[in-house]
């Protein structure tokens, strides 16, 4: 797990701008969802072709959080990346950002139904959880994710998973600009480095949403329930 915090000068900037650090004092469990992004074998398993080693350290925290939030009525959503086996459904990424010698391996790792594309097995799922896929960094692009949320009256997203500075951040940015309430969970997200992880936390808390720990998110849900 990343041992970094938002820098004091960023905290001071946020306080000067809006008068408080956290955006949301209470979170309605009936309108909230925990979205766990890309915690798949391709990213989490040791030695995987697109491994994010720090992602293994957030498996236990995510499991604790899903148990806590399910019991409070928060919807858990497992978001998996999925593309064609040849990567042609996102050639703009595979052709430009992946070296020719690695394209086939990277695309195959995230192909629908492959062993590496599946959820990391140490994660605990529940019968009421939702499952959905994306083939861009953000699930709001070329998918029915927004419709899924709207059908369930969800307007608040708690984001966990990997990588903090790629798919998690893209999801946070798009969600905020589509008028969702957003909170990135700092101890349930992982990047390739501490610097990249912290950069996203600082971007999000200044412009796109809140940054909470798992305990703070649960506390905000309880605050709403106690005040109802």
């Amino acid at each position: 797990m990343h041992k970094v915090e938002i820098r004091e000068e960023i905290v001071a900037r946020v306080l000067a701008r809006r008068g408080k650090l956290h955006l949301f004092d209470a979170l309605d469990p009936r309108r909230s969802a925990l979205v766990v992004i890309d915690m798949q074998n391709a990213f989490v398993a040791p030695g995987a072709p697109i491994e994010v080693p720090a992602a293994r350290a957030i498996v236990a925290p995510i499991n604790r959080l899903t148990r806590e939030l399910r019991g409070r009525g928060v919807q858990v959503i497992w978001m998996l990346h999925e593309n064609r086996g040849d990567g042609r459904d996102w050639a703009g990424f595979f052709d430009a950002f992946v070296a020719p010698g690695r394209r086939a391996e990277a695309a195959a790792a995230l192909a629908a139904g492959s062993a590496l594309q599946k959820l990391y097995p140490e994660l605990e799922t529940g019968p009421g959880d939702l499952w959905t896929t994306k083939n861009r960094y953000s699930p709001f692009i070329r998918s029915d994710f927004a419709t899924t949320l709207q059908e369930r009256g969800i307007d608040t997203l708690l984001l966990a998973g990997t990588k903090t500075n790629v798919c998690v951040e893209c999801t946070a940015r798009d969600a905020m600009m589509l008028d969702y309430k957003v909170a990135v969970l700092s101890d349930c997200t992982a990047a390739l480095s501490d610097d990249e992880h912290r950069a996203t936390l600082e971007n999000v808390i200044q412009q796109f949403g809140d940054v909470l720990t798992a305990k703070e998110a649960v506390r905000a849900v309880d605050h709403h329930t106690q005040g109802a």
Side-chain angles (χ1 to χ4, degrees), residues 26 33 51 63-64 71 136 146 163 187 216:
E51 179 186 6
N63 283 338
R64 286 193 296 270
R136 295 293 189 272
K163 290 187 286 192
D187 54 354
E216 288 170 338

Side-chain angles (χ1 to χ4, degrees), residues 1 3 34 36 56-72 76 78 122-125 185 187-188 214-215 218:
M1 191 181 304
K3 302 296 184 183
L34 171 66
V36 185
R56 288 189 289 280
I58 62 171
V59 170
I62 288 174
N63 283 338
R64 286 193 296 270
L65 182 60
T66 56
R67 290 193 294 268
E68 293 271 8
L69 292 183
R70 286 191 197 100
R72 290 164 167 79
V76 174
W78 300 98
E122 293 182 20
L123 287 158
E124 301 169 1
T125 63
L185 304 178
D187 54 354
C188 291
K215 286 184 178 179
V218 171

